[in-house]
Amino acid sequence: SACDLLSSDEVGPLREAWRAFENTSDWLLPGRSVAMVRDPVEQLLSSFSFTNEGWNRTDWEAALGALAESPAARNSQLSLLSGRCIFAPAAVPSECHDAYAPPATEDDLARVHRRVESGMLILGTVDRFEDSVRHIASSLGWRRFNPDRHAEFGPRSAKASNIDSDIRDGDRTRWRLQRSQVPPGLLAKLSAVTALDQRLNELAHAQLPPAASAAAEL
């Protein structure tokens, strides 16, 4: 099964290797890291919809509830960024959840915060994609990419991306489960298990210039 990709004896050394890589890249190498994060509830709903084709023809509330109660859904973005796991939560088979990596902690978030403050990690957020691209380009001093030459930063259509399938319409997932469709109690569970990811996303937002007000956009 997919659970056998890494044994429990291999997971610990893998995490240590990840931390060693971070330390080396932070202090000895001139390179910096870039990461894009996302509103954690939206990320879970999107990932759930993509990996559960036909979810709307099944008992999706039970399936989503099971995901919300599994270790795989707990602050998955921070877990990935801190080297605690290597899979997106909805892609982890249910039989593997008990063996999933320990969840991310406050210490992991603090470590990410320090790396952002030091300039070794540049964070952006999918929620403000264009602003994030501009922030990354400015931070890294890109000379071969000029954001001003791109008029559109939104999701591509099937025609623009050549991605057209039963699951994807360009960059969008077809029949994507929306936040408004999720019962309030289940939505509260998703928010509770992704609280650190929410703070990670807020940290990414804080790196960007203030968003233009609605009046300024008219």
Side-chain angles (χ1 to χ4, degrees):
S1 71
C3 307
D4 296 328
L5 288 175
L6 286 176
S7 69
S8 58
D9 291 337
E10 293 172 312
V11 171
L14 179 63
R15 292 194 198 111
E16 291 302 318
W18 178 274
R19 291 298 174 88
F21 165 77
E22 275 192 344
N23 289 333
T24 301
S25 63
D26 284 358
W27 304 112
L28 299 180
L29 299 176
R32 291 186 284 176
S33 303
V34 174
M36 293 286 284
V37 296
R38 185 178 184 181
D39 177 285
V41 172
E42 294 296 335
Q43 189 270 337
L44 275 178
L45 295 180
S46 178
S47 183
F48 175 83
S49 302
F50 181 75
T51 56
N52 291 271
E53 184 179 359
W55 62 266
N56 52 343
R57 298 189 296 274
T58 66
D59 185 2
W60 62 267
E61 289 187 27
L64 185 60
L67 176 62
E69 294 176 0
S70 75
R74 297 176 192 165
N75 302 304
S76 60
Q77 295 178 81
L78 182 57
S79 292
L80 286 164
L81 200 54
S82 59
R84 286 183 174 271
C85 66
I86 58 174
F87 295 111
V92 179
S94 59
E95 65 267 21
C96 302
H97 286 169
D98 290 341
Y100 202 68
T105 66
E106 289 277 357
D107 287 343
D108 292 319
L109 183 60
R111 180 183 177 88
V112 169
H113 203 153
R114 289 194 297 270
R115 297 190 72 231
V116 170
E117 289 183 335
S118 71
M120 299 310 299
L121 173 62
I122 303 170
L123 274 184
T125 173
V126 174
D127 311 340
R128 291 176 58 190
F129 191 78
E130 179 177 352
D131 289 337
S132 296
V133 170
R134 292 180 180 277
H135 168 60
I136 294 168
S138 174
S139 298
L140 294 178
W142 283 350
R143 291 175 292 181
R144 296 186 180 183
F145 176 82
N146 184 353
D148 293 329
R149 295 179 181 174
H150 293 260
E152 181 58 56
F153 285 84
R156 298 168 300 173
S157 65
K159 182 178 180 180
S161 65
N162 293 320
I163 301 174
D164 189 5
S165 68
D166 293 339
I167 303 176
R168 301 287 285 182
D169 175 8
D171 291 329
R172 299 182 185 275
T173 299
R174 295 186 189 275
W175 319 114
R176 205 273 225 184
L177 178 59
Q178 301 298 320
R179 188 188 291 251
S180 60
Q181 297 173 266
V182 181
L186 183 49
L187 199 59
K189 284 185 178 181
L190 294 176
S191 297
V193 299
T194 58
L196 290 180
D197 270 0
Q198 181 58 46
R199 288 165 58 190
L200 175 66
N201 195 41
E202 291 168 359
L203 175 61
H205 275 270
Q207 310 310 306
L208 307 177
S213 67
E217 294 174 352
L218 296 177

